[in-house]
Amino acid sequence: MLNVDLHSHSNFSDGTLTPETLVARAAQRGVAVLALTDHDHTGGLAAARAAAAGHGIRLIDGVEISVTWCGQTIHIVGLGIDPADAALQAGLAATRGGRIKRARKMAAALAALGIADSFEGAQQFADNPQLIGRTHFARFLVQRGAVKDIKSAFKRFLGGGQPCYVPHQWASLGDAVSWINSSGGVAVIAHPGRYPLDTAQLRALLSEFRELGGAAIEVVSSSHQPHQHATFAAHAREFGLAASAGSDFHSPQESYHDLGSLPELPHGCTPVWEKFQ
Ligand code: AMP
Ligand code: MN
Ligand code: MN
Ligand code: MN
């Protein structure tokens, strides 16, 4: 079976490894086809591509775009995009543009709870200052001793509905899909099992995504429980979408799923990577 991992992060967003180290780890763990999919940024792709050539593995140019759909944050992965595409780059720049202001608001909310200087603290973990996000705050909260681990930082402070969650307007679903498609990529709904949507809302998302030109959903994801693989395989078939698989790897210390250790797609799925062969 081809070892494919189409969702991973470097320190160009909220991963901890450089693109080179990430690719080396993927190669060492037997990955044959890897997509680097940093949040709202493609700056790591050139270095990842060079490293992949050195290790004899295939790199798919990717990105994970933050989207607001019906008031919910949804992540759309673009695979096989052209990072030189001007419309895509303008869209990504606009999408990440509000992150610093949002981070200041998170820091103010944390300060109100007695946790001072978190903007500067989170910045120390953000190798790419434009991409400062909740994971960097979570790392700071662990370092400060406010929580025992990253997961607890989201549960107590940073996750949806928690006291330091700052609502944010990201890109629209239609814009994200069109930036990806017009740059020659395919659009994939990331970790569909992670959103707090009921069945009717999930079906509406899949149907609208398909109408807008979306191509696939992540059926196999580290965010999914094993039983959800069959559920999302059935959704993919029903909505005429291909299936993707990704570890969403961020860090050797923090990720539950390492690179290249994903189960196979359930039978009857159309693998999205067939589009790249
Ligand atoms: P942001 O784009 O700043 O809202 O940050 C989103 C990122 O936070 C995701 O890509 C994950 O890396 C991380 N994240 C979100 N929820 C959790 C969670 N419950 N546990 C650990 N990491 C999370
Ligand atoms: Mn992330
Ligand atoms: Mn995501
Ligand atoms: Mn991700």
Side-chain angles (χ1 to χ4, degrees):
M1 178 202 131
L2 192 65
N3 191 329
V4 177
D5 194 332
L6 299 182
H7 189 151
S8 69
H9 295 273
S10 77
N11 66 343
F12 276 79
S13 62
D14 57 359
T16 60
L17 303 182
T18 62
E20 293 88 342
T21 311
L22 178 84
V23 168
R25 187 181 185 90
Q28 193 241 325
R29 295 186 52 83
V31 175
V33 184
L34 175 74
L36 174 60
T37 56
D38 276 313
H39 298 287
D40 309 324
H41 207 284
T42 60
L45 292 174
R49 170 162 303 288
H55 289 284
I57 75 174
R58 173 116 195 257
L59 183 88
I60 306 284
D61 287 320
V63 68
E64 182 175 18
I65 303 181
S66 313
V67 159
T68 302
W69 178 81
C70 294
Q72 291 284 345
T73 299
I74 304 287
H75 286 171
I76 302 297
V77 162
L79 298 175
I81 50 147
D82 174 5
D85 185 86
L88 172 67
Q89 287 305 333
L92 295 179
T95 304
R96 61 182 180 252
R99 278 184 176 271
I100 290 181
K101 217 167 145 187
R102 170 185 182 244
R104 293 261 181 221
K105 290 184 193 164
M106 286 195 269
L110 283 162
L113 297 180
I115 301 170
D117 302 324
S118 65
F119 181 82
E120 295 73 18
Q123 259 185 332
Q124 285 180 12
F125 289 96
D127 291 343
N128 179 356
Q130 287 181 11
L131 250 293
I132 189 166
R134 288 186 290 162
T135 310
H136 308 113
F137 278 85
R139 289 180 185 136
F140 160 77
L141 289 168
V142 174
Q143 181 195 55
R144 180 61 68 89
V147 288
K148 68 174 193 305
D149 57 18
I150 300 280
K151 201 176 164 179
S152 310
F154 280 89
K155 218 168 161 180
R156 261 184 67 196
F157 296 108
L158 304 169
Q162 300 315 306
C164 305
Y165 180 76
V166 174
H168 192 75
Q169 191 70 29
W170 301 104
S172 74
L173 182 63
D175 281 348
V177 171
S178 106
W179 300 331
I180 291 166
N181 285 350
S182 66
S183 86
V186 300
V188 184
I189 298 181
H191 41 66
R194 212 166 89 183
Y195 311 119
L197 302 172
D198 64 27
T199 307
Q201 290 168 320
L202 176 67
R203 296 179 66 83
L205 171 64
L206 295 175
S207 151
E208 190 176 330
F209 176 67
R210 172 88 197 139
E211 291 278 303
L212 290 167
I217 60 174
E218 285 181 352
V219 167
V220 168
S221 161
S222 62
S223 296
H224 291 168
Q225 300 296 317
H227 74 269
Q228 290 179 299
H229 297 158
T231 307
F232 287 108
H235 282 307
R237 276 197 298 279
E238 182 186 345
F239 288 88
L241 295 162
S244 190
S247 63
D248 204 359
F249 178 82
H250 282 72
S251 155
Q253 285 77 37
E254 297 164 10
S255 292
Y256 298 115
H257 270 68
D258 210 324
L259 294 157
S261 60
L262 296 167
E264 281 189 56
L265 286 179
H267 270 292
C269 289
T270 304
V272 71
W273 50 92
E274 285 180 0
K275 296 182 192 290
F276 306 110
Q277 279 163 4

